[in-house]
Amino acid sequence: MLYLNNNHLQTIGLRWEELENCIVETLRLLDSGDYAQPIKPYLRYVNPANRIIAMPAYVGGTVQAAGLKWIASFPDNTLSGLPRAHSVLLLNKPNTGVPYAIINSPLPSVARTVAVSAVMLRHYLQLHPAAKRIRIGIIGFGPIGQHHYDMCGKLFGECTDEVLIYDIRGAKLETPVIEDADASYRSRTRIVDSWQELYNTCNVIITCTVSDHRYIDQPPLAGSLLLHVSLRDYKASALEQIQTTVVDDWDEVCRENTDIELLHVERGLTKENTCSLTDVVCQGALGNLAADESVLFCPMGMAVFDITTAAYWVEKAQSLGIGMDLTNI
């Protein structure tokens, strides 16, 4: 039994291209049907804002792993200096069910989320005729926003004209992830005073907030990509003109008061009106976008991605001799 904690994963490091490839490989297996993924249940008690989610899955093909992510999200933790989210991943051998690895760290969840965004952004750039150059706006600069900043610089820095960042709690250029960025990318980074300032000038909007209310009430720039990671930021009126909506899994994302559920209830959005990220990657679903057509991407988070990337972390750790062997403890 291999045990990996946050220090072990930090030693391995974040290789965004490899993590992006993990997501693409998983999407191909989803397209082939070589996976299992039940709907994830939410455990709530006392305070309904808090939740602990069980995310089981099996991924076949070249991955060959089964397991469970158990992730807690307690928004008020940030008020006392604790991380909002905590997660543990357990991997089982798919042929015997024997548990063989435990990962106790929030980093895999963050890295998986950001890698999924990388896949969507890359296909948007490849298929959208108006998106050869991008201006990135990040709303919310906690851990997920900061890792998106890092990923965008390392994978898409050459086609990025500017990055604008807004956080309601205040963001600073002295944040380590900005200070450690490539000098050229860092020089194109600005902190702004409102979400409107970046929203009205950027064609890639990444929402990474923990907002308890919807506040975005304006349509995006024509031809924009909305990487809607935090899922509950847009009023329905702001999305009226969106014709292309991409989800990771309709049944997962059309619930829990997401903006997709809001559009379903208030605007009649259905599964048939959307396409999946699998469709985008494996079926070329964005191949006929008009130059002024904006895309909304809402990923609820899929357990298959967590299991594939967990298997990736374990393989990296084993090859580098990193981690703790719990077998005889």
Side-chain angles (χ1 to χ4, degrees):
M1 172 73 75
L2 178 67
Y3 175 81
L4 301 174
N5 61 26
N6 203 58
N7 290 334
H8 297 136
L9 299 185
Q10 293 286 358
T11 299
I12 295 169
L14 290 167
R15 296 169 171 84
W16 291 119
E17 187 171 355
E18 294 178 6
L19 288 162
E20 180 187 357
N21 289 338
C22 284
I23 301 302
V24 171
E25 176 60 22
T26 308
L27 290 166
R28 289 175 179 146
L29 293 171
L30 284 171
D31 192 51
S32 74
D34 194 8
Y35 76 100
Q37 178 180 256
I39 291 288
K40 55 194 178 190
Y42 286 63
L43 172 64
R44 287 189 169 92
Y45 52 90
V46 184
N47 182 352
N50 300 331
R51 58 192 184 273
I52 309 179
I53 309 169
M55 300 177 64
Y58 158 75
V59 186
T62 58
V63 179
Q64 288 299 314
L68 171 76
K69 183 171 81 169
W70 181 239
I71 180 166
S73 177
F74 283 53
D76 288 345
N77 277 3
T78 57
L79 302 177
S80 56
L82 291 172
R84 175 186 62 85
H86 294 82
S87 67
V88 176
L89 274 154
L90 174 66
L91 290 181
N92 302 74
K93 295 289 185 182
N95 56 335
T96 63
V98 174
Y100 69 94
I102 297 174
I103 304 176
N104 183 10
S105 168
L107 187 58
S109 284
V110 174
R112 176 269 287 163
T113 299
V114 177
V116 169
S117 293
V119 172
M120 185 67 219
L121 180 52
R122 188 173 303 281
H123 279 75
Y124 167 79
L125 291 171
Q126 289 173 349
L127 298 171
H128 202 297
K132 301 305 181 186
R133 305 294 304 175
I134 57 175
R135 289 168 57 87
I136 299 170
I138 302 175
I139 305 175
F141 207 55
I144 293 178
Q146 291 180 28
H147 281 87
H148 271 87
Y149 175 84
D150 181 59
M151 177 275 291
C152 286
K154 289 174 177 171
L155 295 185
F156 306 102
E158 290 185 358
C159 62
T160 300
D161 287 336
E162 194 170 24
V163 183
L164 305 184
I165 298 167
Y166 171 71
D167 192 301
I168 195 170
R169 299 161 298 184
K172 298 179 180 180
L173 290 174
E174 294 75 24
T175 304
V177 70
I178 298 177
E179 292 183 321
D180 293 342
D182 172 85
S184 174
Y185 183 62
R186 187 171 64 247
S187 70
R188 288 172 273 143
T189 301
R190 287 198 296 121
I191 307 298
V192 298
D193 295 326
S194 68
W195 67 263
Q196 293 93 334
E197 185 175 350
L198 66 80
Y199 189 75
N200 292 325
T201 59
C202 295
N203 62 347
V204 175
I205 301 294
I206 310 175
T207 45
C208 304
T209 75
V210 289
S211 177
D212 59 1
H213 68 282
R214 293 176 168 90
Y215 56 92
I216 298 178
D217 55 3
Q218 304 173 19
L221 292 179
S224 297
L225 172 64
L226 308 180
L227 292 172
H228 191 20
V229 178
S230 44
L231 295 172
R232 302 170 184 89
D233 297 76
Y234 288 88
K235 295 184 177 181
S237 58
L239 302 173
E240 281 183 353
Q241 304 304 315
I242 298 291
Q243 297 180 358
T244 301
T245 300
V246 182
V247 299
D248 51 2
D249 183 282
W250 171 264
D251 293 325
E252 289 284 9
V253 78
C254 189
R255 61 181 182 140
E256 294 294 324
N257 192 36
T258 65
D259 289 349
I260 291 293
E261 184 179 34
L262 177 71
L263 291 172
H264 173 63
V265 172
E266 293 194 6
R267 307 286 176 177
L269 184 74
T270 66
K271 182 177 182 179
E272 289 70 31
N273 304 133
T274 68
C275 63
S276 70
L277 187 58
T278 303
D279 296 330
V280 170
V281 172
C282 300
Q283 308 298 333
L286 298 184
N288 296 315
L289 282 176
D292 61 350
E293 190 171 345
S294 295
V295 177
L296 171 66
F297 177 48
C298 293
M300 188 68 151
M302 296 178 69
V304 286
F305 295 148
D306 291 293
I307 297 306
T308 297
T309 51
Y312 161 86
W313 290 107
V314 169
E315 182 179 345
K316 280 286 184 185
Q318 290 172 333
S319 67
L320 296 170
I322 291 172
M324 183 183 301
D325 185 356
L326 302 181
T327 305
N328 297 316
I329 295 178

